[in-house]
Amino acid sequence: MLPQERAEKILTLGQAGWSVRAIADQLGHSPQTIRDYLNGRTTPGVPAPRPSLLTSPFADYCRQRFAEDSNLRPKALFNEVIELGFSGSRATFYRELRRRLLFPPGHRQSPTQQDLSGTSRLFVHAPGHAPVLPRPVVPITGETLISYLTRLALANHLTLTEVLTVLPSWFATKVSNRDDRAQHHMLIPATAGALHALAHLTRTTPVGLTHALPAFGITDTYGLVRATTACHRCTARRGIHQPVPVHLPAHHKVCTRHGIWLSDADHPHLDLAACPEIITAQYRANRLLRRYTPQQLTLAHQAATRIIPPWPASPAVIPLHWRHRLLTLQTTNHHRAIPTDHDIYTDAAIYPDAIELAAGILNPAAHNPARSNGETLRSEGRHQP
Ligand SMILES: [Zn+2]
């Protein structure tokens, strides 16, 4: 049976004039289920037939999540779609992922093993007296553990292996994992000790490390993340000039401080100075998260990208169309030598339209495109918790 809130959403969308097909596509249930609710054959709170298949919006959602987080575990993804209303079993979900070839390539590869046997020079320190590194290194928010330890080693003219030698074995196990956010039950009891050892070694605080490094993340705020590299201007301010791999909340696409589009991992960033509406859209997405879960926003964002008009309807609206923005981005980022057909340009260019449409998808009753932007923002503000 559908959760009460979902059943009510069906009724709301129906009253707003949505077709059965549109609601079914939007919410990921069968048209028959939607019809049963709209016709009153099924009422909220009463068991309904269970759709077993992963519908297109859910499949798109899964594809998107695997693309932005290649280490995402299917188990975690299953929990995300359940929260969005998928009511199939876990076995059904896995079967559908396989059937639709949604597992990313190489997903089941075994973890890369760090070779720890080649320790030639041991870090010398008196027994019972934990060493402290001369140069402290501040972690970047969302930084992967291996990146932080590597920077720490470099700053102190050591190798990663040498740094690992003076840390509890927790670290060697952790960095040999492809995904350092995975909290293996065998490692959890030793996490607090490991945290304090690293804080001591680096002369930082456990709180600061926990806040910055997802490897210590005990909170679930890192539930929906994507892999990217930290804003290069943010890191340059700290004297770091190499890319810093980070895991950021999935909706976090823009460094609003510097106006930088944070592309997915291994792709170049874009300068957004010439397109401030993209930065504004990031603020809007942040506001939407006060009322909706990251999963709901991601699903709506995915659905929105499919309904954005590919071309301007008339020459008069060209300056307002995202293709105009696309051209501006390509021109202003020309010096980065990114191929002009690279997806990141499109992703960034359509972002304001996608967030605008996503807001409407999430709350169709309150969404009225005729209103001015300012009024829409105020209406969102009224519903702040
Ligand atoms: Zn920045």
Side-chain angles (χ1 to χ4, degrees):
M1 111 186 188
L2 298 183
Q4 179 103 1
E5 183 198 18
R6 245 186 128 64
E8 281 164 5
K9 195 162 235 172
I10 292 175
L11 297 178
T12 309
L13 292 179
Q15 282 156 11
W18 286 44
S19 69
V20 168
R21 169 57 62 185
I23 302 174
D25 285 347
Q26 170 63 25
L27 298 179
H29 300 294
S30 74
Q32 191 54 51
T33 305
I34 305 296
R35 238 174 260 124
D36 286 347
Y37 277 94
L38 292 181
N39 297 339
R41 277 197 292 276
T42 313
T43 42
V46 178
R50 297 175 58 175
S52 60
L53 294 179
L54 203 61
T55 55
S56 293
F58 282 148
D60 286 343
Y61 177 91
C62 295
R63 204 171 283 117
Q64 166 76 19
R65 294 286 297 125
F66 276 134
E68 63 192 12
D69 185 3
S70 62
N71 288 321
L72 181 65
R73 285 159 299 148
K75 180 170 168 257
L77 184 60
F78 175 69
N79 291 337
E80 290 177 19
V81 295
I82 283 289
E83 217 170 289
L84 286 167
F86 177 72
S87 50
S89 68
R90 184 176 301 207
T92 305
F93 178 68
Y94 286 2
R95 193 171 60 241
E96 286 291 303
L97 287 185
R98 274 191 297 275
R99 192 177 71 79
R100 291 168 175 257
L101 305 176
L102 288 173
F103 280 113
H107 190 79
R108 292 198 172 276
Q109 279 172 8
S110 59
T112 26
Q113 293 297 323
Q114 289 285 322
D115 181 13
L116 300 178
S117 58
T119 310
S120 50
R121 289 183 290 147
L122 286 183
F123 200 104
V124 180
H125 60 95
H129 186 83
V132 174
L133 291 175
R135 289 168 185 274
V137 170
V138 178
I140 299 297
T141 302
E143 186 170 7
T144 59
L145 187 62
I146 185 115
S147 164
Y148 179 64
L149 295 179
T150 303
R151 290 199 300 116
L152 188 65
L154 276 174
N156 288 281
H157 307 290
L158 296 167
T159 64
L160 175 63
T161 305
E162 285 164 337
V163 167
L164 287 172
T165 307
V166 295
L167 284 168
S169 60
W170 185 93
F171 288 91
T173 313
K174 199 77 171 168
V175 298
S176 71
N177 240 316
R178 283 207 313 163
D179 180 10
D180 65 20
R181 291 162 300 149
Q183 295 289 346
H184 193 274
H185 67 97
M186 299 287 279
L187 286 180
I188 289 173
T191 302
L195 177 62
H196 282 88
L198 185 62
H200 180 79
L201 182 73
T202 58
R203 288 186 285 158
T204 47
T205 63
V207 173
L209 290 172
T210 310
H211 185 72
L213 303 177
F216 294 109
I218 300 138
T219 61
D220 57 6
T221 49
Y222 280 99
L224 210 59
V225 298
R226 66 188 192 97
T228 178
T229 40
C231 165
H232 57 276
R233 294 212 186 136
C234 285
T235 50
R237 285 172 72 236
R238 296 178 174 197
I240 305 163
H241 299 286
Q242 75 262 40
V244 177
V246 292
H247 282 112
L248 294 181
H251 74 282
H252 187 155
K253 310 279 190 198
V254 175
C255 170
T256 49
R257 174 184 298 205
H258 297 113
I260 298 294
W261 179 260
L262 305 171
S263 311
D264 285 346
D266 305 327
H267 295 302
H269 291 172
L270 296 179
D271 190 334
L272 303 175
C275 296
E277 64 271 39
I278 300 177
I279 305 167
T280 308
Q282 174 70 74
Y283 284 119
R284 183 156 194 210
N286 297 350
R287 278 195 303 275
L288 287 170
L289 283 179
R290 295 174 189 164
R291 299 175 60 197
Y292 303 99
T293 65
Q295 290 91 322
Q296 287 173 319
L297 179 60
T298 301
L299 185 67
H301 186 206
Q302 267 305 102
T305 55
R306 285 196 307 276
I307 51 176
I308 292 171
W311 296 102
S314 74
V317 298
I318 288 176
L320 302 170
H321 193 269
W322 65 268
R323 287 205 182 261
H324 188 268
R325 208 178 290 132
L326 179 72
L327 200 61
T328 307
L329 285 175
Q330 288 167 343
T331 308
T332 52
N333 287 275
H334 180 69
H335 60 284
R336 290 170 202 268
I338 308 164
T340 50
D341 61 348
H342 201 298
D343 280 348
I344 57 171
Y345 278 127
T346 315
D347 292 346
I350 66 171
Y351 187 63
D353 309 65
I355 291 300
E356 168 78 23
L357 287 166
I361 290 168
L362 287 165
N363 192 2
H367 186 69
N368 182 353
R371 285 190 306 187
S372 79
N373 203 28
E375 284 173 35
T376 312
L377 297 186
R378 276 199 295 281
S379 106
E380 270 167 26
R382 273 204 302 276
H383 295 280
Q384 289 169 21

